[in-house]
Structure formats: structure tokens, C-alpha cells
Amino acid sequence: MPNPSRVKRLAVVACSSLILLSLTGCWNYREVDKVITVAGIAIDKGKEEGEIRLTIEMVDGSGGEDLMHIGSKRVTLSGSTMFEIVRNMITETGMRLYWAHAKSIILSEEIAREGASKVLDWYVRDTETRADIRVLVSGEKTAEEVLRTGGDSGGPLSFKIDEILKNEHSVSNFPVMEIFDFADTINTTGLSSILPMIYVKGSDGKQVASIGGLAVFDKDKMLGTMDANQTKYVLFLRDEIKGGILPLGGYRRSPSISLEIFKSKTKVEPVLVNGQVEIRVKTHTVVSVDEAQENINFSSKWLADTEKIAEDLLVKEMESVIGIAQQRYQQDIFGFGNRIHKKMPKVWKSLEKDWDEHFSKLKVTVEADVEIKNTASVKKLIQPEEED
């Protein structure tokens, strides 16, 4: 009869061996020197009818192991489908492309207006891509123009774009949308899609990429844009404000001050009034005085008055962007319909089919509550003393 302890030891050895074998490699492993890492993608219309023009930014590691000197290269190719172009890229680069580290896809306005889903479909389906890539729309004539900003020197532009998007909370003037979020929104009832806009601007004699504002979509087709200031209040209504600045200079004769947003919460409540659905929006925003360009007596009355001015500004601006969405685009970019769907499913059933039309006539009431927590450590304006 076998010794039980011996059998147990053999079983442990066998299991350990199997585990070690499973850790020795990856089923789709490829040697680093046989692939090229893609940093970013730009998609434009080609010269021929129905043609797609694809530009990829590739990481250039020819500088060695010094990460501070990683450069980038770009290659452009046209074809009838994304998959065809991607495969043909192998003949242009001499190596297969590695997509898992790609940070952004930039769509031209032409592509976005015709329908973004047809060019994004391959990326969503392919097994070698990742779902956390961000999607943007070019505010320039082409997407390639943006991706080639800065030439072939310096680090990959797509990595810089990724850093800007990660720090969105500091400015709150553009949305951040990953590809799967965008794909889901296209088919989400009662919520229209938006994407951030990216431009090329001059700075110190150089061309740099700048993100601000948003593109409004009807399903996957772009209709138009909103600027950076309008976008901030769209984000308030979507409960996506995590920080940023609320400048009050000149509004209702307010002093030239800037309020830094610490946190903000927006509640959207659908209600029935005389048989008609309405939306009630309430925001609560905590701020501090971060800048004052004139002497201010930070009394309790001044704080209360300033809070009221900030509340009026928020209500005015949120009502303005609601009006733009309702009248110019007839697109519910705030997700009001989605809230109705979740809270009043029976009511939503009667509205869903013609929601764009119902949304354009929807009554929305906006309230804002602003709370100034502190006025920073310096209470007096910093200014030079007058000489005698």
C-alpha cells in the first residue's frame, strides 16, 4: 500500500511543476525587437471615394534605454478598410504593430460627421487592442495634422495627449471618453454621445496640441461643437466636475476673483407635473477664493453675496448650454432621458421613440448652491507700497 505522505508529496511536486510551466511564457508572446509599439492613431478620409487614410505614431526607441529621449515616427497609408490598412502597414514598417500601448485615436471632423463607428469597429473587435484608449475629434482640417504636431522630434505626442487628458480635472473644459464608453453611449437610451476636441495652437514659436471643448453626436454622427467654456457647464450637468476654476470677474459687477472648485455634486431628478415629465437639477459646489485682483473685505456678508453671484452664474450658464443642446442640436448630452428611463420606466416607454423631439421641449429647472470654504491664507491684495 502506498505511503500516504509520499503520495501527498508527489502531488505537491506535480502541481508545482505545472504552475512553473504556466509561468514560463505567454501564448501570444512576441520578442520586442520584432514589433513596433503604436502610440497613437489619426483617421482621415482618403483621396478616393470610400477610402480611409490612417496615420500611426510609433515609439522610436533608437535612442537606447534612456526613456527621456524616446522619440516618435509616423507613417501614413490609405485603404478601403481599417483592417486592410493595418495589415498593409507591415510592408511599410517591416514589422508587426503592437497596439496595447496606444493612447489616443484622433478622428477628422469629416470622418466623425459621416459616422465614427465604421472606423472604430475594427479597434473594438480586435484582440490585440485595449479598451482604455481615448477618442478625440480634430478641430483642424485633418486628424493627421494634429498627430504630426511637433514633427518627429521629442517624445510621442500621443503620450503628451494622454497626460493632458489625465489632468482634465484641473481645468474641466473638455470631456474624457474611452473608446468602449463611446461605443456604449451610442446605444444607450436617453444619452447622446460627446467627444473632446483637439486643436493645434502656437506657443513660443512652436506648434502644440491643445484640448478644449466638445463635439456633439447623434448616435455616431457628429453634429457640431461647443467651446471650452460651454463644456464646463455641460460637465456640471453630467456630474463630471472634479475641479477647475470658476472665474467671477465682472459678472454682475462682481470683483475680479477666481474660485477654485474643490468638489461638486449634481443631482438630476425627473418629476411629473400635471402629467408632464420635467427635470429638476440641483448642484452643490464647494470652492475657495484662489485669486483676488483687488482689495476685498472678506466679511460674512461679502462671502454670502459672492456665493449668490456664483450661484447665479452657474444657473445662467447651465441654462444656456441646455438651450443649445435642445434648440441647436436636439441631443440629450446630459443623460436626462436615461434618468427618466431608470426612475420612470413606464413614462419613458411613451417618450423613447421620439425622445429627441421631447427633449427639445423638456422643461428643466436648475438650482445651484455654492459654498465658499475658505479665502486662502492671505487676506489682503498683494501690491507694492506707495512711496512718500
Side-chain angles (χ1 to χ4, degrees), residues 105-150:
I105 298 175
I106 304 172
L107 307 176
S108 71
E109 186 171 325
E110 279 187 309
I111 287 287
R113 286 185 179 275
E114 286 191 358
S117 60
K118 67 179 182 181
V119 296
L120 297 179
D121 182 79
W122 166 79
Y123 202 94
V124 173
R125 291 177 185 273
D126 196 87
T127 58
E128 296 185 9
T129 58
R130 288 175 55 173
D132 59 354
I133 192 169
R134 274 68 177 268
V135 186
L136 308 94
V137 176
S138 172
E140 307 301 331
K141 187 175 181 180
T142 67
E144 179 184 353
E145 181 179 347
V146 177
L147 197 59
R148 291 189 180 275
T149 299

Side-chain angles (χ1 to χ4, degrees), residues 232-241 246 261 263-269 280-287 307 310-319 322 336 364-371:
K232 178 181 295 183
Y233 301 101
V234 171
L235 297 179
F236 266 106
L237 289 159
R238 289 169 62 99
D239 194 26
E240 293 178 5
I241 288 288
L246 197 62
I261 301 169
K263 60 181 178 179
S264 185
K265 180 66 179 176
T266 300
K267 293 184 179 180
V268 176
E269 188 74 14
R280 292 177 181 171
V281 177
K282 294 183 179 180
T283 65
H284 176 72
T285 307
V286 179
V287 301
E307 287 173 345
E311 290 164 357
D312 288 349
L313 174 65
L314 276 175
V315 170
K316 171 179 171 290
E317 295 292 352
M318 284 191 283
E319 288 178 342
I322 291 170
F336 295 158
V364 183
T365 304
V366 181
E367 295 180 24
D369 175 33
V370 174
E371 180 182 359

Side-chain angles (χ1 to χ4, degrees), residues 52 64 81 89 119-120 129 152 154 162 190 204 244 305 313 363 372:
I52 302 168
T81 69
M89 283 279 185
V119 296
L120 297 179
T129 58
D152 293 330
D162 186 56
D204 297 327
D305 290 345
L313 174 65
K363 182 177 180 180
I372 299 177

Side-chain angles (χ1 to χ4, degrees), residues 22-277:
S22 69
L23 296 176
T24 57
C26 181
W27 70 270
N28 63 347
Y29 171 77
R30 292 174 186 159
E31 293 183 29
V32 174
D33 61 352
K34 293 183 179 179
V35 296
I36 293 178
T37 298
V38 177
I41 305 157
I43 307 175
D44 293 292
K45 289 186 67 176
K47 294 181 180 179
E48 303 297 327
E49 183 67 27
E51 196 176 54
I52 302 168
R53 182 178 172 87
L54 176 67
T55 302
I56 61 168
E57 181 181 36
M58 304 170 294
V59 175
D60 180 12
S62 59
E65 296 181 357
D66 186 355
L67 296 178
M68 297 298 293
H69 294 90
I70 289 179
S72 62
K73 295 180 180 179
R74 296 157 186 83
V75 62
T76 300
L77 201 61
S78 297
S80 57
T81 69
M82 287 288 291
F83 190 52
E84 174 196 4
I85 301 169
V86 168
R87 280 299 172 88
N88 288 339
M89 283 279 185
I90 298 173
T91 63
E92 296 290 317
T93 63
M95 290 186 282
R96 292 183 68 89
L97 303 177
Y98 182 68
W99 298 89
H101 292 312
K103 300 298 183 182
S104 60
I105 298 175
I106 304 172
L107 307 176
S108 71
E109 186 171 325
E110 279 187 309
I111 287 287
R113 286 185 179 275
E114 286 191 358
S117 60
K118 67 179 182 181
V119 296
L120 297 179
D121 182 79
W122 166 79
Y123 202 94
V124 173
R125 291 177 185 273
D126 196 87
T127 58
E128 296 185 9
T129 58
R130 288 175 55 173
D132 59 354
I133 192 169
R134 274 68 177 268
V135 186
L136 308 94
V137 176
S138 172
E140 307 301 331
K141 187 175 181 180
T142 67
E144 179 184 353
E145 181 179 347
V146 177
L147 197 59
R148 291 189 180 275
T149 299
D152 293 330
S153 60
L157 174 68
S158 301
F159 290 176
K160 297 175 185 176
I161 291 172
D162 186 56
E163 288 302 314
I164 296 173
L165 293 171
K166 285 179 179 177
N167 290 297
E168 177 274 338
H169 62 274
S170 298
V171 289
S172 296
N173 62 12
F174 55 84
V176 177
M177 192 69 65
E178 295 179 353
I179 191 169
F180 267 79
D181 292 329
F182 179 70
D184 286 344
T185 305
I186 290 173
N187 298 305
T188 297
T189 185
L191 175 62
S192 296
S193 303
I194 58 175
L195 287 177
M197 297 293 298
I198 185 167
Y199 302 87
V200 175
K201 294 187 177 180
S203 177
D204 297 327
K206 298 180 181 179
Q207 295 291 94
V208 297
S210 176
I211 304 174
L214 61 82
V216 178
F217 284 76
D218 179 1
K219 295 190 182 300
D220 73 328
K221 292 181 171 62
M222 177 179 166
L223 300 180
T225 65
M226 290 190 184
D227 65 29
N229 184 64
Q230 292 165 338
T231 298
K232 178 181 295 183
Y233 301 101
V234 171
L235 297 179
F236 266 106
L237 289 159
R238 289 169 62 99
D239 194 26
E240 293 178 5
I241 288 288
K242 298 181 180 66
I245 304 298
L246 197 62
L248 297 185
Y251 180 71
R252 285 188 53 188
R253 298 182 180 179
S254 65
S256 296
I257 63 173
S258 293
L259 303 177
E260 182 178 7
I261 301 169
F262 283 144
K263 60 181 178 179
S264 185
K265 180 66 179 176
T266 300
K267 293 184 179 180
V268 176
E269 188 74 14
V271 295
L272 282 176
V273 179
N274 299 323
Q276 298 294 316
V277 68

